[in-house]
Amino acid sequence: MWIAFLSVCSLAERLYSGNGAAPLSAWDAIAAEAAAAPPTGYSHAKAALEMRPIWQAYYQKFADWKPPVPPAPPEGKLSGLVGTPTEPRFPLTEKVWPAKPGEASVCLWEDDKLAAASFSIDDNNASDVPSWEEISRKYGGLKITWFLISGNIGGAIVPGRISSAGKWEMWQRLLGEGYQFGSHSVTHVGNPVLEDGWPGPDWECAESKAQLDAGLTGQRTKIFARPGSATKAFNMSQEWRPSIEKYYAAARGGSGVPINKANMTDYFDIRTTANPLTMVSDEPQKDGWHLGDLFKPESKYYRGWATVFIHNINGGPDLENNPSPTTASFAKVFDFYNSHPADLWVGFLADVALYGQERDTATLTTDAADPARIVLSLTSKMDPAVFDYPLTVKVRLFDGWKSVEATQNGNVVPAEFLMHEGAPYALVKAAPDKGQVVLSPGSP
Ligand SMILES: [Zn+2]
């Protein structure tokens, strides 16, 4: 009896925790929900039942699938800052201005901006793409990250739904236009039931990345967004974190205070909102729920990273006049993004997540400094094969420098000259662990 009881317990545990699988009995609940749904109109439960045999057939293709071994980072390097931070990783400060010539510091955000912001779109929604290209142009090249559900791109699973999933050719074109993609899983929790052949969360994470990287020339998928399911019994993807941490450099969640604290970002649960009404409201909001908090020294979210996301538009590129107040509020969000060019870094999610983890673990040393040249070494604890986004380094130059040129490992890198309170500085872009950085006065 005890043995039987224990094995039932361990089976239940296997189904309910750790691997994000739904129990087979979930189908009973879904069938009951479908039976109770009105005879006409859309029902998530009915749709899930219709899809069940289609997923079962698709999973057959992966019957022998084995989780790929993620490439191991070099000795002493990390594949990601996994785990939820419980205390600040560093003290948050105002902008830093090193005083002594040759002294340098890593800027909190790119180009020494005060704060950061990002935007993403979930669930492909391919038919909205022309509208988004227009919106992006309208807002000065808004950086959009699409979190793609990979399985049905090109209609590989359900050809009739290609208008939502999109064709590879179209996503390839967007990649060429400079937009970025993350993974939103293979199936979007379509049928996470092991007994139906679901290969598990490792497969959702690793296989979607493999499909995107194989389907799009030049794509390297580094970030994931956790899918949620409208079918309650299937909403298990919050348990996928170990798989996400194994195969990605960062991941976005779907909720939380939508401003991430700069020194306490959970890089595998980047906070966001799909309802940014409060973010642009004229009424007072709770701390962290308004974009203005990014610039308020008294806010706990001062100098943080705000992220918002959307699903479909339902109404074309004229966002301001969208009948849904929530959708219309994105126009105000983008206006805000666009109207603070000196203070706000609007970056792709993966770029900001790479920057943050490199910055949080960076070591910057001045190897040599004299009025003819300044030599710096920049390293981080992150694996440089993945974490290759340049950090912005601020360097106090020698009095008398009127301009600056910089190289890293002999290659020219971007360097901006600026004066602050009568002293010369440079903002230099260099990636950690890619060789020494050398600054010279250049030719004025
Ligand atoms: Zn989704």
Side-chain angles (χ1 to χ4, degrees), residues 55 66 208 223 227 412:
W55 289 124
K66 297 271 179 297
S208 59
I223 191 166
V412 173

Side-chain angles (χ1 to χ4, degrees), residues 121-125 147 149 184-185 188-189 225-229 252 309-311:
I121 301 172
D122 282 13
D123 301 355
N124 305 38
N125 286 296
F147 283 102
I149 308 163
H184 200 38
S185 81
H188 206 281
V189 223
R226 241 171 278 199
S229 176
R252 204 210 66 203
F309 79 108
I310 198 169
H311 293 97

Side-chain angles (χ1 to χ4, degrees), residues 172-256:
Q172 185 71 60
R173 175 171 62 77
L174 289 185
L175 191 64
E177 289 171 10
Y179 298 104
Q180 290 192 3
F181 303 114
S183 164
H184 200 38
S185 81
V186 181
T187 73
H188 206 281
V189 223
N191 177 358
V193 173
L194 297 173
E195 288 82 348
D196 282 350
W198 185 54
D202 273 1
W203 175 79
E204 293 281 2
C205 293
E207 181 60 20
S208 59
K209 177 185 165 96
Q211 290 180 357
L212 292 175
D213 291 359
L216 298 167
T217 307
Q219 168 70 8
R220 265 188 89 197
T221 311
K222 296 183 179 180
I223 191 166
F224 188 86
R226 241 171 278 199
S229 176
T231 307
K232 210 170 148 199
F234 282 175
N235 210 350
M236 318 291 281
S237 68
Q238 69 275 16
E239 295 176 20
W240 295 6
R241 184 160 177 149
S243 301
I244 297 167
E245 291 183 344
K246 200 161 26 162
Y247 293 110
Y248 290 89
R252 204 210 66 203
S255 60

Side-chain angles (χ1 to χ4, degrees), residues 49-65:
L49 285 176
E50 276 167 29
M51 279 299 292
R52 185 181 181 190
I54 296 168
W55 289 124
Q56 286 170 316
Y58 183 65
Y59 294 156
Q60 284 297 311
K61 295 186 193 176
F62 300 95
D64 298 323
W65 186 86

